[in-house]
Amino acid sequence: MTVQDIPTLNAALNATATVLITAGFILIKQGKRDTHRAVMLTAGVVSALFLVGYVTHKVLVRGVHTPFGAESPALRAFYYLMLLTHIILAIAIAYLVPRTFLFAIKGDFESHKRWARFTFPIWLYVSVTGVLVYFFLYQWWPAAGPA
């Protein structure tokens, strides 16, 4: 594995988190609390692994940002708006997910449910847009030349 492989691994982890978060939502709506708990804890672990991979990649590339290669002003505006909201909400998720988990672990399911109503859609958005950022930067519109 090389440093160039890390973004692809991170995108796979984000995609996996997306599937798990969605499955967890469906499971709790079906009343399958134990399975919901296992799936959501797995989503938390997968997201934590993503964060380790993301930080590792940033350290290894010395913080150099991957340039966005699309030339269309509308596409660039869309991408940067998506990226901005992704970053802001990802920062929020770093607090919201552990806090929401803590309520469940403590058995305070009313607080857990109240927090999850906000945490779930934000976490889902962050994981989906994380995958989209990867595709925008590395698959659909990579910048020409070395990053």
Side-chain angles (χ1 to χ4, degrees):
M1 174 178 266
T2 68
V3 69
Q4 290 82 14
D5 297 323
I6 296 174
T8 303
L9 176 60
N10 285 340
L13 290 168
N14 258 333
T16 301
T18 299
V19 170
L20 291 167
I21 294 162
T22 303
F25 176 79
I26 292 166
L27 288 164
I28 201 62
K29 291 298 182 186
Q30 293 174 342
K32 298 176 180 177
R33 184 184 282 187
D34 291 340
T35 309
H36 164 80
R37 181 183 306 119
V39 167
M40 295 309 289
L41 287 172
T42 304
V45 168
V46 167
S47 290
L49 289 172
F50 159 80
L51 184 57
V52 168
Y54 178 81
V55 171
T56 299
H57 183 257
K58 285 300 172 195
V59 168
L60 292 174
V61 299
R62 298 187 176 133
V64 174
H65 298 286
T66 304
F68 180 48
E71 294 182 18
S72 162
L75 186 56
R76 291 182 72 78
F78 176 82
Y79 169 75
Y80 284 112
L81 179 61
M82 177 182 65
L83 181 62
L84 178 65
T85 59
H86 171 80
I87 290 168
I88 292 167
L89 293 173
I91 292 166
I93 279 302
Y95 173 76
L96 292 171
V97 169
R99 180 76 176 174
T100 304
F101 276 21
L102 187 61
F103 286 125
I105 290 165
K106 288 184 172 183
D108 183 355
F109 297 112
E110 286 305 312
S111 294
H112 170 75
K113 186 176 180 180
R114 195 168 49 251
W115 276 70
R117 284 189 179 129
F118 293 97
T119 302
F120 164 72
I122 295 170
W123 192 8
L124 186 62
Y125 177 84
V126 167
S127 68
V128 168
T129 56
V131 174
L132 287 173
V133 166
Y134 166 78
F135 277 101
F136 273 57
L137 290 178
Y138 296 95
Q139 300 299 319
W140 298 333
W141 295 282

